[in-house]
Amino acid sequence: MRLGLALGYWGRGPQPAHLDLAAEAERLGYDSVWTAEAWGSDAFTTLTWIAAHTSRIRLGTAIAQMAARTPTATAMQALTLDHLSGGRMMLGLGLSGPQVVEGWYGRPFPASPLTATREYVDVVRQVLRREAPVALDGRFHAHPYRGADGTGLGKPLKPITHPLRADLPVLLGAEGPKNVAQTVRIADGWLPLYWSPTRTDVYEDALAAVPDGFMIAPMVRAKVCDDVAEGLLPVKAMLGFYIGGMGHAARNFHADLMGRMGYEAEARRIQDLFLAGRKEEAVLAVPDAFADEISLVGPRERIAERLARWRATPVTDLLVTSPDPHTLRVLAELAL
């Protein structure tokens, strides 16, 4: 089981510590470092900055949002960074949800998310293979564009720049069972938002046909500390925000996932509190048990014991979210 460092996205402004954390992770033997985006900082710019200051560690987006760019634009950024980094790029993609896609990106959320994702990945793969001009008679990503408002002059093209690798890894963030099953079929890896080593049955059917070399890389918040309850507070804050506020009350993929993991009533209560403006209560309503099973928090000995549970699952890469160099060092000592 490899270790990765998940830096996430910026909050109010740039995060100066991210570069130092990435350099420390590389020194410690971490395999990868990952950046993200929501509706603020973008994933690729920060990852390029890190690429320029590292030499070995692999570079991933976890995740780049599909609605932010056409699939050809995303492929251009990935192949450019792959060249500049000497072949270290991994492209993690996610569809996001209706509130972000329509509210931030000003685009309709696709009526068929599975089809939209499949077409997006198809176009990206075509660009990276560079075997022929990109052509797809797609419902959401037609190439060339043939809409009634077009000129009809679109011409199939292939990239001027020769990609460094046709097999640049493409990973998908997916939560629903059908989406996860499709990810296994069309991608090189899966980026679960929440993963519990004690509830692997949640995804057992979807992962039944995982091919050799397929990456399963969940993000795990980690903290080496004496007080487990205190260490879980940042985990609960993250869960309160995602489950309560990252989606509409009637369509929140994160809340739905928590429900499938055995906490349906708790997920709805978190949503109700968050949407009522009672955000602190929403965070406190996150069950300690749920926050604990999807994270690595506590004294070194406790984390070592729990790491053994993760090793017994199909997980190939543990993407550690922690701003604490000491925690990164302890995990490296225990896992590498």
Side-chain angles (χ1 to χ4, degrees), residues 71 116-127 129 134-136 186:
T117 299
R118 188 166 59 250
E119 291 180 2
Y120 200 104
V121 172
D122 187 341
V123 173
V124 169
R125 298 273 202 203
Q126 288 190 51
V127 173
R129 288 194 302 266
V134 176
L136 179 67
I186 69 172

Side-chain angles (χ1 to χ4, degrees), residues 319-333:
L319 308 188
V320 179
T321 300
S322 177
D324 174 27
H326 175 64
T327 295
L328 299 182
R329 287 193 290 273
V330 168
L331 284 172
E333 291 167 1

Side-chain angles (χ1 to χ4, degrees), residues 19 29 58 65 83 92 113 124 172 188 223 225 230 271 309 323:
L19 191 58
R58 292 199 293 169
Q65 296 187 336
H83 270 292
V124 169
L172 294 175
D188 302 301
K223 176 67 175 177
C225 59
E230 183 179 345
Q271 273 193 300
R309 301 179 189 177

